Amino acid sequence: MALWGQSLWVLLSGPRGKRGAIWSWALSSCSSLIGLVSATGLVSHWTEVFKKRGIPEARESSEYIVAHVLGSKTFQSLKPVLWTQPLTPKQLQYIQELCSRRLQRMPVQYILGEWDFRGLSLKMVPPVFIPRPETEELVEWVLEEVAQRSYAVGAQDGPLILDVGCGSGAIALSLLSQLPKSQVIAVDKEEAAISLTHENAQRLQLQDRIRIIPLDVTLEGSWAHLLPWGPVDWMVSNPPYIFHKDMEQLAPEILSYEDPVALDGGKEGMDIIAHILTLAPKLLNASGSIFLEVDPRHPELVRSWLQSQPNLHLNLVAVRRDFCGRPRFLHIQKSSP
Ligand SMILES: C[S@@+](CC[C@H](N)C(=O)[O-])C[C@H]1O[C@@H](n2cnc3c(N)ncnc32)[C@H](O)[C@@H]1O
Ligand SMILES: *[C@@H]1O[C@H](CO)[C@@H](O)[C@H](O)[C@H]1NC(C)=O
C-alpha cells in the first residue's frame, strides 16, 4: 500500500491544529489506552484518533507505526500471534510517542525513519525530500532505455549517469543496484541531502560506484566541477518543479517537514529545469540523454523553451505519462550541432 499513492501534489491543506492543544490532548488520551493493549486494538484506537483529528490516511498511518514498533514493515506481514498478544509498557509508550508525531502531521516516512524505493530500504531524515512512487516510474524508464543501448564491446564499464538533486539518493542508488557496471555522480546543493545519500549508499553497500558532490546547479560555472568526471552518458533528475503559486496548496505534511528547496521551482516551476538543460550539453557525451520528472504543464513549456534555445542542441524526443495518466516524464536528447 503506497502512502500518498496518487494524490501527492494535489493534497489540499487540511485544518491545522494548535500544537499545544494537540499535545495535551494526546497525553490525556494516554490514560484511555490502559486495557487496550493488543496490536489490533491499538491500530483501531489510533485509527479513530487520527480520523477525529482529520489526519489523512488514518488506518495506514496507525498500521505502519504499530508494525514498526513490533519490528515489521507492514501490519499484514506481522506474525498473527503478535496481533493479539499484549504489548509491553515500553512498546506502548513508543507507539504513543510516534503517534503523537503523526498528530503533528509528520509524514509516516519520517516517523519510521526509513522507506522503500523500488525495493531498496532508504533512511529518511527531515527535511530531505521523501521519494515518491511516480519517481519509481522515471527510474523504470531510464532502465528500459539503458537496456536498449550497448556499451563498447569488451569494456568493463557500463554507463556513467549523473543524478541532479539526489535528495536521499533514491534515483542514484536504485539505478546503481540495477546496473552492476554503471557508475553514478550524484549532486545536491543541500548538505543534509549529500550526507543522507552517503549514508544510504553505505547502507546498501553501493558506495564504491557513486561519487557524491555538493553542487548548486544555479551557480555560474558550477558544472566546471563536474567536467573532470565526464562526459556522462545519461542525466536524470527529479528537480524542484512545483509552480511557486501552488506551494501553499501542498499538504501540511509537506509544507511543515520537507525542504521547500526540494519543491519550489519558481514562477512556472522552470527555474531549476532551465539550469539543468543549460548545463546538460556541456556534460553529456555527443548523443547523451536527459530524463526529467516534471509537472503536467511542463512538456509544452519545456518544448517551447528548448525551441527558444537552439544553441543548446537539445530535443524533446519523448513524453511519458505517470500512473494517473498525466504527462510527467521527459526524454531530452542531445544532437550533434
Ligand atoms: C524533488 S527533490 C528530489 C530528490 C530525489 N532525487 C528523489 O527523487 O527522491 C529535489 C532535490 O533537488 C535539490 N536541489 C534543489 N535546488 C538545487 C540546486 N540549485 N542545485 C542542486 N540541487 C538542488 C534539493 O535539495 C532536493 O534534494
Ligand atoms: C553516449 O550516451 C548514450 C546514452 O545516452 C549512449 O547510448 C552512447 O553509447 C554514448 N556514446 C558514447 C560515444 O559513449
Side-chain angles (χ1 to χ4, degrees):
M1 142 186 32
L3 272 195
W4 304 351
Q6 329 204 337
S7 50
L8 174 61
W9 304 122
V10 289
L11 282 172
L12 296 176
S13 313
R16 239 194 258 223
K18 284 195 201 82
R19 206 148 273 208
I22 286 174
W23 271 111
S24 57
W25 180 88
L27 291 174
S28 67
S29 77
C30 188
S31 52
S32 70
L33 281 179
I34 294 164
L36 258 176
V37 287
S38 74
T40 311
L42 276 168
V43 166
S44 317
H45 169 78
W46 281 106
T47 300
E48 283 318 301
V49 171
F50 289 154
K51 276 188 184 155
K52 270 191 207 124
R53 298 292 308 185
I55 304 297
E57 299 177 299
R59 174 156 292 274
E60 289 85 344
S61 299
S62 48
E63 284 187 351
Y64 273 114
I65 289 171
V66 171
H68 177 77
V69 169
L70 294 177
S72 175
K73 259 187 191 163
T74 64
F75 196 72
Q76 284 66 30
S77 63
L78 272 180
K79 284 205 209 94
V81 61
L82 292 177
W83 292 343
T84 46
Q85 201 166 288
L87 276 73
T88 67
K90 239 192 176 142
Q91 287 171 325
L92 284 174
Q93 198 190 342
Y94 191 25
I95 289 170
Q96 163 81 26
E97 205 179 298
L98 299 188
C99 287
S100 305
R101 291 188 204 158
R102 187 71 193 103
L103 283 174
Q104 296 192 352
R105 302 298 289 261
M106 184 184 264
V108 168
Q109 291 86 342
Y110 288 150
I111 296 174
L112 307 183
E114 61 184 358
W115 198 246
D116 280 9
F117 183 82
R118 287 186 54 91
L120 298 182
S121 168
L122 299 171
K123 183 173 174 183
M124 297 286 119
V125 180
V128 181
F129 186 83
I130 299 165
R132 304 304 206 269
E134 54 263 53
T135 308
E136 300 187 325
E137 299 183 284
L138 176 72
V139 170
E140 187 61 43
W141 194 13
V142 175
L143 288 171
E144 285 171 30
E145 294 290 327
V146 171
Q148 284 174 20
R149 317 288 160 105
S150 49
Y151 293 85
V153 186
Q156 70 277 57
D157 294 341
L160 177 61
I161 304 168
L162 170 64
D163 175 11
V164 180
C166 57
S168 61
I171 297 176
L173 296 170
S174 61
L175 288 172
L176 277 180
S177 77
Q178 295 287 299
L179 301 168
K181 288 181 171 176
S182 66
Q183 309 233 22
V184 171
I185 303 168
V187 305
D188 204 290
K189 76 180 251 196
E190 293 299 321
E191 186 45 48
I194 291 292
S195 80
L196 189 56
T197 297
H198 271 292
E199 262 192 82
N200 279 322
Q202 289 282 349
R203 219 173 128 109
L204 298 165
Q205 291 295 299
L206 292 168
Q207 72 277 10
D208 294 340
R209 289 188 287 129
I210 189 168
R211 197 172 293 277
I212 304 162
I213 304 175
L215 185 111
D216 181 342
V217 294
T218 65
L219 294 182
E220 191 78 35
S222 65
W223 52 273
H225 294 288
L226 298 177
L227 282 182
W229 313 112
V232 303
D233 301 309
W234 309 88
M235 279 174 68
V236 189
S237 184
N238 171 20
Y241 57 71
I242 308 234
F243 285 41
H244 181 72
K245 65 171 163 35
D246 295 342
M247 286 292 292
E248 60 186 27
Q249 303 272 97
L250 295 172
E253 277 79 357
I254 303 173
L255 281 179
S256 317
Y257 293 94
E258 288 187 292
D259 188 353
V261 163
L263 301 157
D264 192 343
K267 189 157 179 283
E268 288 191 306
M270 287 281 292
D271 288 6
I272 305 299
I273 294 172
H275 277 97
I276 292 172
L277 295 176
T278 304
L279 71 78
K282 302 177 175 111
L283 299 173
L284 283 172
N285 84 24
S287 59
S289 282
I290 313 162
F291 288 84
L292 292 177
E293 179 176 321
V294 295
D295 179 275
R297 290 162 286 185
H298 282 138
E300 283 323 306
L301 286 171
V302 168
R303 196 188 302 278
S304 56
W305 188 85
L306 285 176
Q307 276 161 5
S308 73
Q309 308 279 327
N311 54 333
L312 292 178
H313 303 288
L314 294 174
N315 299 304
L316 176 54
V317 292
V319 177
R320 268 215 190 172
R321 292 174 184 274
D322 65 9
F323 46 66
C324 302
R326 297 167 303 192
R328 296 286 307 286
F329 310 112
L330 307 180
H331 178 183
I332 294 160
Q333 198 164 21
K334 182 170 158 184
S335 56
S336 321

